[in-house]
Amino acid sequence: MTHSPRLPLLPGLLLAVAAGLFVPAQGRINGALGTALADGLAAAVVSFSTGLVLMVVVSLLLPKGRAGLAEVLPTLRERRFPRYYALAGGIGAYFVFAQSFTVGLLGVALFTVAAITGQTLSGLLVDRMGIGPAGRRPITGIRVLGSVLTVAAVAWAVSPRFGATGASGADPLHILVPVLLPVLAGFLMSFQQAMNGTATVHYGSPITATLVNFIAGSIVLWVAWLIKLVVAGTGNPLPGEWWYYLGGPMGCVFIGVAAFLVRSLGVLITGLGMIAGQLLGSLGLDLALPAPGTGVALPTVLGTLLTLAAIVLASLPWPNGALKR
C-alpha cells in the first residue's frame, strides 16, 4: 500500500472546482443522449460503459494502473477496508437512475437543489464519522454555516429555472416523493466519495478506485436496463455523433479526482468545491452554448458568487473553538 502526499488546501480546492466543471457538461451530453435514444436508462448504461472501457484501457497502459490492479484482490481478501466499499459505484448508478426518473417530473433546478442539499448534509456527517481516509473532522459552527449558505446559494442560483421546470404547477404532495429520490442520491454521494477515497489509499491509485467504481455501477445499470428491455422493449438505435459518448470519460475525471482529494480535504470540502465547479460550469455553458429557451439571469450569477463565498467560509482554517460544536 502506498500513500500519496496530501495536497495543501488551496490547490486541492481548486482541483475540486475544476473537476466539478465536468458535471454540467456530462449532464448536458447524457441528457441529449437520452433524448436521442428515447431511453434515459439506456443513456446511463452507455455513459457508464464508455467510462468503464476507458478505465480498463488506462489501467492496463499506465504503470500506476497495473500496480493498483494487482492490489485489488489482496486488499479485498485481507479486508483492509469493508468489502462493500467496492460496491460504491452502485451509488453512482442510483444517482443516474434518480436523475433519469425525476428530472422530467421536478425539472433540473429542483433536482439540483435536492441533490446538493443531501450531499452537503451527508458531507458533514461523513467527516464527523471519520469514514473517509482523512479521518474524523469536527462539526463546527463555521462549517455548518458554510454548508447552509451553500444550499441557500444554490437554490438562489437555480431559482430562475423553477418556473420553467416540470414541477411548475404540480400538486406538492405529488412532488414530495420524487424530491426524496435526489435528496437520497445526493446524501449517498458523500459516502461514495469517502469509500472511493479509502479504496484509493489501499489500492495506491485513484485510477483503480475509479475502475472498480465503474465496474459496480455498470453491472447495476446493465441489469436494470435488461429488465426494462424485457418489460418495455428497446428505444432508438445509437446515434453516430462522437460527442454523445463523452459523458462516461467526463465521469471518470470527477470520480477519480474526488477519490484522490478526500484524503487531503475531507468529504465536505471536496463536495463543496465540486458544487462550486458545477455552478460555474453551468453558468459557462449557459453563456457559451445556451440550451433552447434558457438564459443567464442575475440571481444565477449572484447565487454562484455566494456559493463560492460560502465554500471559502467553510474551508478556511478558523481558530480552534471558533463557533465549535
Side-chain angles (χ1 to χ4, degrees):
M1 179 178 68
T2 60
H3 294 279
S4 57
R6 294 177 184 264
L7 281 180
L9 174 62
L10 183 57
L13 191 56
L14 291 176
L15 184 57
V17 173
L21 294 173
F22 288 91
V23 177
Q26 186 203 39
R28 181 79 69 87
I29 290 170
N30 284 346
L33 179 59
T35 300
L37 295 175
D39 188 342
L41 187 55
V45 169
V46 171
S47 180
F48 260 76
S49 298
T50 53
L52 175 59
V53 170
L54 175 61
M55 291 313 305
V56 168
V57 172
V58 170
S59 298
L60 293 177
L61 289 180
L62 297 183
K64 265 287 192 184
R66 294 194 297 272
L69 280 176
E71 290 293 324
V72 173
L73 290 181
T75 295
L76 296 178
R77 186 170 55 246
E78 297 168 13
R79 299 180 183 271
R80 298 176 193 171
F81 54 77
R83 288 180 177 176
Y84 64 83
Y85 280 25
L87 303 177
I91 295 175
Y94 170 72
F95 185 90
V96 173
F97 165 76
Q99 188 178 46
S100 63
F101 180 73
T102 62
V103 164
L105 297 172
L106 304 176
V108 175
L110 188 52
F111 178 91
T112 300
V113 173
I116 288 176
T117 298
Q119 183 181 355
T120 304
L121 293 176
S122 63
L124 286 168
L125 177 62
V126 169
D127 276 350
R128 181 66 182 87
M129 295 170 64
I131 295 175
R136 291 179 179 269
R137 299 202 171 195
I139 296 179
T140 65
I142 290 294
R143 286 163 70 85
V144 171
L145 179 60
S147 299
V148 171
L149 282 177
T150 298
V151 174
V154 171
W156 189 20
V158 301
S159 62
R161 302 182 187 180
F162 277 125
T165 65
S168 178
D171 183 349
L173 291 178
H174 293 157
I175 294 300
L176 177 60
V177 173
V179 162
L180 293 179
L181 292 178
V183 169
L184 178 60
F187 188 85
L188 292 174
M189 280 187 67
S190 293
F191 289 89
Q192 180 192 29
Q193 291 174 355
M195 290 188 285
N196 284 340
T198 298
T200 293
V201 171
H202 291 278
Y203 298 151
S205 171
I207 295 172
T208 309
T210 305
L211 171 63
V212 174
N213 190 94
F214 270 90
I215 291 173
S218 294
I219 291 173
V220 170
L221 287 171
W222 269 102
V223 170
W225 182 75
L226 288 174
I227 293 173
K228 180 182 180 295
L229 182 64
V230 172
V231 174
T234 61
N236 298 329
L238 291 172
E241 293 84 349
W242 59 271
W243 58 268
Y244 278 115
Y245 305 98
L246 294 180
M250 289 180 177
C252 295
V253 173
F254 61 76
I255 291 173
V257 169
F260 172 69
L261 287 178
V262 291
R263 179 170 178 256
S264 300
L265 303 184
V267 174
L268 176 65
I269 302 304
T270 299
L272 294 182
M274 288 189 163
I275 288 169
Q278 182 176 343
L279 287 179
L280 289 171
S282 297
L283 186 62
L285 272 178
D286 285 345
L287 288 171
L289 298 169
T294 65
V296 177
L298 182 61
T300 301
V301 177
L302 296 180
T304 300
L305 294 176
L306 180 58
T307 301
L308 298 177
I311 291 167
V312 170
L313 177 69
S315 307
L316 287 177
W318 296 93
N320 290 335
L323 297 180
K324 189 172 183 178
R325 293 185 177 179

